[in-house]
Amino acid sequence: MRLILLLTILPVPALAWDHTIGPICTLWHDTPEASIRLTHDPSQPLYTLTVTRKRPWLDSPWFAMRFAGGQENVISTNRHALSEDGTSLTVADSGFGNVLNGLEFNTRAYAVTEGEFAAFSLDGAAPHVAAFRDCAPVAGV
């Protein structure tokens, strides 16, 4: 409970969101403490979400995204993986509708594991999320 209270009152640096559209579309946001990067390969279809921190994530049986400030929601999974050095946590799935809704229609996002989190401001994210949603397969030559 204390973790949830702490997540609601912590300031979150407001740095720019950005995206690229191509054969694999990318949406990202970097803060001094952490970065969040989503990719979408529409030919699969496959989405990935990676949260990278300067210090390693501890091993956890679950990973959750908490969205606050609009259409609040919490989504979780046990299908996440840590990078070899433990600084990146990645989830992959064939659909990310709840994640994209959370990023587009809220003001804050939190990547949370058992006892740890990374916080992200969603200021300015909405137009980039909308463009990322429109990612479509690129025709081959």
Side-chain angles (χ1 to χ4, degrees):
M1 184 65 171
R2 283 184 252 166
L3 177 61
I4 292 172
L5 179 60
L6 183 63
L7 292 174
T8 62
I9 61 174
L10 282 177
V12 180
L15 301 173
W17 280 83
D18 207 350
H19 74 278
T20 59
I21 302 299
I24 295 180
C25 300
T26 307
L27 172 69
W28 72 90
H29 179 64
D30 298 316
T31 75
E33 294 79 31
S35 65
I36 185 169
R37 181 171 305 273
L38 287 82
T39 64
H40 179 218
D41 180 348
S43 68
Q44 299 278 327
L46 179 68
Y47 290 87
T48 66
L49 177 144
T50 302
V51 180
T52 303
R53 303 184 321 167
K54 291 181 181 171
R55 68 184 197 305
W57 292 94
L58 297 177
D59 193 28
S60 174
W62 54 266
F63 167 71
M65 289 294 298
R66 177 177 177 270
F67 302 101
Q71 295 180 7
E72 298 187 5
N73 194 11
V74 177
I75 53 178
S76 63
T77 185
N78 62 0
R79 298 181 321 187
H80 61 286
L82 294 177
S83 62
E84 191 170 311
D85 67 0
T87 59
S88 295
L89 186 152
T90 301
V91 176
D93 203 343
S94 60
F96 264 25
N98 286 337
V99 172
L100 297 177
N101 287 345
L103 295 172
E104 189 169 1
F105 303 118
N106 288 284
T107 60
R108 291 178 307 283
Y110 304 95
V112 183
T113 63
E114 196 170 49
E116 299 188 296
F117 70 94
F120 299 95
S121 169
L122 298 177
D123 291 344
H128 297 284
V129 175
F132 182 80
R133 280 184 194 270
D134 291 338
C135 181
V138 175
V141 178

